[in-house]
């Protein structure tokens, strides 16, 4: 077995990457994806069962709640009653965060947008008391 002597970089989109892999238009996908049990069992965009293998992740991230202490605890506990009835979450709109947060909270508790807008909304107390984002955006913010 010999290693290939050249490679061709093919840019794929988030919406067609697995379809193009399945159709053998590309041989491998690098970066820009999340490894979930759902994708291991059934990849959502193609509906294929168990056809994709995922290697060990070279980069991992976490979702972080940031804001007023009482409401951060409410968000972490997924509590929406008693002292948490006024919980209002500004969520950075990414393909990873949107489905995760909407599985935890009803739409009336969440507002999605780009990071600068959501961060500003939290700082100005104009609509949310908790910001949820991936770890690097929270700690990388100025």
């Amino acid at each position: 077995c010999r290693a290939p002597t050249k490679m061709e970089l093919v840019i794929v989109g988030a919406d067609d990457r697995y379809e193009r892999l399945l159709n053998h238009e590309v041989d491998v996908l690098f970066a820009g994806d999340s490894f979930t049990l759902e994708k291991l069992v059934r990849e959502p965009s193609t509906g294929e069962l168990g056809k994709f293998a995922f290697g060990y992740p070279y980069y991992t991230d976490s979702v972080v709640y940031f804001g007023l202490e009482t409401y951060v605890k409410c968000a972490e506990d997924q509590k929406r009653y008693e002292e948490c009835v006024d919980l209002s979450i500004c969520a950075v709109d990414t393909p990873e965060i949107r489905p995760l947060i909407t599985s935890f909270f009803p739409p009336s508790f969440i507002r999605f947008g780009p990071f600068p807008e959501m961060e500003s909304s939290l700082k100005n107390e104009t609509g949310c008391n908790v910001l949820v984002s991936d770890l690097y955006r929270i700690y990388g913010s100025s």
Side-chain angles (χ1 to χ4, degrees):
C1 180
R2 291 182 12 190
T5 56
K6 66 179 184 173
M7 292 187 335
E8 177 186 355
L9 176 64
V10 177
I11 306 297
V12 296
D15 58 338
D16 70 346
R17 58 193 292 118
Y18 285 99
E19 184 176 327
R20 292 182 72 182
L21 181 64
L22 188 64
N23 292 334
H24 303 284
E25 295 173 45
V26 297
D27 296 315
V28 66
L29 299 173
F30 292 100
D33 210 342
S34 56
F35 172 71
T36 64
L37 182 59
E38 178 185 27
K39 286 183 181 173
L40 183 61
V41 175
R42 179 186 300 268
E43 202 292 311
S45 66
T46 63
E48 291 296 320
L49 291 172
K51 290 214 176 187
F52 302 104
F54 292 87
Y56 187 77
Y58 62 90
Y59 170 79
T60 60
D61 199 4
S62 300
V63 171
V64 177
Y65 294 106
F66 181 80
L68 301 176
E69 186 175 352
T70 300
Y71 293 110
V72 167
K73 177 95 170 91
C74 293
E76 289 172 341
D77 294 343
Q78 298 177 22
K79 186 176 176 184
R80 303 181 306 267
Y81 51 90
E82 293 173 354
E83 72 277 8
C84 302
V85 73
D86 292 324
L87 175 64
S88 177
I89 300 171
C90 284
V92 176
D93 200 0
T94 69
E96 295 79 25
I97 291 176
R98 182 177 280 269
L100 179 68
I101 298 305
T102 55
S103 73
F104 295 158
F105 300 98
S108 60
F109 284 83
I110 314 164
R111 197 170 104 200
F112 289 97
F115 181 78
E117 182 183 313
M118 297 296 97
E119 182 184 35
S120 176
S121 185
L122 176 68
K123 286 180 178 177
N124 297 328
E125 298 178 15
T126 59
C128 65
N129 42 41
V130 172
L131 171 67
V132 62
S133 183
D134 27 23
L135 190 65
Y136 82 93
R137 290 181 208 269
I138 295 285
Y139 292 111
S141 173
S142 56

